[in-house]
Amino acid sequence: MSGQTLTDRIAAAQYSVTGSAVARAVCKATTHEVMGPKKKHLDYLIQATNETNVNIPQMADTLFERATNSSWVVVFKALVTTHHLMVHGNERFIQYLASRNTLFNLSNFLDKSGSHGYDMSTFIRRYSRYLNEKAFSYRQMAFDFARVKKGADGVMRTMAPEKLLKSMPILQGQIDALLEFDVHPNELTNGVINAAFMLLFKDLIKLFACYNDGVINLLEKFFEMKKGQCKDALEIYKRFLTRMTRVSEFLKVAEQVGIDKGDIPDLTQAPSSLMETLEQHLNTLEGKKPGNKSGAPSPLSKSSPATTVTSPNSTPAKTIDTSPPVDLFATASAAVPVSTSKPSSDLLDLQPDFSSVGAAAAAAPAPPPPAGGATAWGDLLGEDSLAALSSVPSEAQISDPFAPEPTPPTTTAEIATTAASASTTTTVTAVTADVDLFGVLGLT
């Protein structure tokens, strides 16, 4: 099955006669050709979503109508086109989809025209569930997780704990629906499913960045929460760890089908000691006997043991773990030099960047930036070609969702110790973002 069929040409001609250029473009983007929707048709539809005189409901209804076709090619391309407009079109398009009671009803779709139809029908059912979940998440949150600002001053990092505890399960649900696409490299056999996979890959990177920001926010406020909130936050963190494994498997598929390794983040598990610390704190709030016999945990024990450093002036009895800071999303960059000091009493110092100022920081040279940086991400996330995985033209209007936010130089962080054996204040100078225990997704 290749090339536009007579049915495709007749459908396009009908809309040309009625004067509906948008509906005609939808038909052109969802032909029976076994290839991804053509860029020129997608660009036309994206521009149409920005025009005030274009009827968005009519555009969406045409896509839904094409999704009722009996051919898996037409249906799959209708889903890809819809997804593309949800990501790159004007936000009022996804707003309209979110306002509808029903979207794609393809849970029983099956193309019996051949063995290929049977195989692709499985992915059509999974893909439609994800798009429904994406619109449902927008309805609940009033924003698209993939579009919001990421990083230290992003939406998920600055969200209030009460709202964050309600938002994280919604984000988890959308990520789960995406991961259920569950495709293997040998199943990416044509341009249509390849186009869907690329859109899902981009969404996953953005969604997981939001997910990571939300977890950082929860952990920063964990020891200030009430018992019930701590219990919910700990459960969210446990689910986060299990999803990291599934996300890693999805990224391995992306690597195997030709996406450059430099464009795929390298995920590193958090130290097990962090989970133990969180559970110990929750047990203390619930009145259970702590695992150790020293009573309730001190402020020092609330921070991850892997994030603290030992003062050379402390006595052996006061010495604590001196292991270097561990970045959850470690990159290939060199280890961060950290000046020796007394242990920090700060709960979770997770700020991504600290710039040294003055003579006190002169002895701490900044390491070179990690290779692969924003350029690699800009190339990947700026692509607009859906026909193949190997050809990725740049698209100026799509910005890098992981470009680091510019931060003004700040003074050296002075952290007062609470250890009984010391009364002086020492300084810990962190030069790069690697000091962040739960840093934003890095690049290899």
Side-chain angles (χ1 to χ4, degrees), residues 222 234 238 273-286:
F222 186 82
L234 183 59
K238 290 179 179 178
S273 56
L274 175 61
M275 177 66 74
E276 296 171 359
T277 303
L278 300 177
E279 291 178 338
Q280 181 180 349
H281 177 70
L282 179 59
N283 290 338
T284 301
L285 293 180
E286 292 179 341

Side-chain angles (χ1 to χ4, degrees), residues 219-224 299-304 307 344-350:
L219 295 176
E220 285 178 334
K221 298 178 173 65
F222 186 82
F223 298 96
E224 301 171 3
L300 284 178
S301 66
K302 291 180 181 181
S303 62
S304 171
T307 64
S344 167
S345 63
D346 190 20
L347 177 59
L348 279 173
D349 187 6
L350 300 176

Side-chain angles (χ1 to χ4, degrees), residues 247-304:
V247 169
S248 297
E249 293 173 354
F250 192 100
L251 298 181
K252 287 179 182 177
V253 175
E255 182 179 332
Q256 293 176 35
V257 297
I259 297 178
D260 191 86
K261 289 184 179 180
D263 297 331
I264 301 174
D266 183 18
L267 308 185
T268 305
Q269 290 286 352
S272 59
S273 56
L274 175 61
M275 177 66 74
E276 296 171 359
T277 303
L278 300 177
E279 291 178 338
Q280 181 180 349
H281 177 70
L282 179 59
N283 290 338
T284 301
L285 293 180
E286 292 179 341
K288 297 180 181 179
K289 187 176 180 180
N292 55 32
K293 296 183 180 180
S294 59
S298 65
L300 284 178
S301 66
K302 291 180 181 181
S303 62
S304 171

Side-chain angles (χ1 to χ4, degrees), residues 86-158:
M86 293 172 80
V87 173
H88 301 303
N90 190 286
E91 196 167 354
R92 65 194 186 117
F93 181 79
I94 190 174
Q95 285 175 351
Y96 172 72
L97 296 185
S99 69
R100 291 176 59 104
N101 292 327
T102 58
L103 292 180
F104 297 105
N105 184 18
L106 298 171
S107 57
N108 297 319
F109 177 81
L110 182 61
D111 184 344
K112 301 179 181 180
S113 60
S115 60
H116 212 49
Y118 277 93
D119 295 337
M120 293 298 106
S121 295
T122 300
F123 295 108
I124 286 175
R125 294 192 294 269
R126 296 172 182 174
Y127 194 26
S128 65
R129 284 198 294 268
Y130 169 69
L131 296 183
N132 288 345
E133 185 66 29
K134 185 178 178 72
F136 181 67
S137 296
Y138 190 99
R139 181 194 305 180
Q140 293 181 294
M141 298 302 304
F143 63 78
D144 184 358
F145 285 110
R147 287 176 179 246
V148 296
K149 187 176 182 180
K150 319 292 191 299
D153 56 347
V155 172
M156 300 302 288
R157 289 285 288 272
T158 57

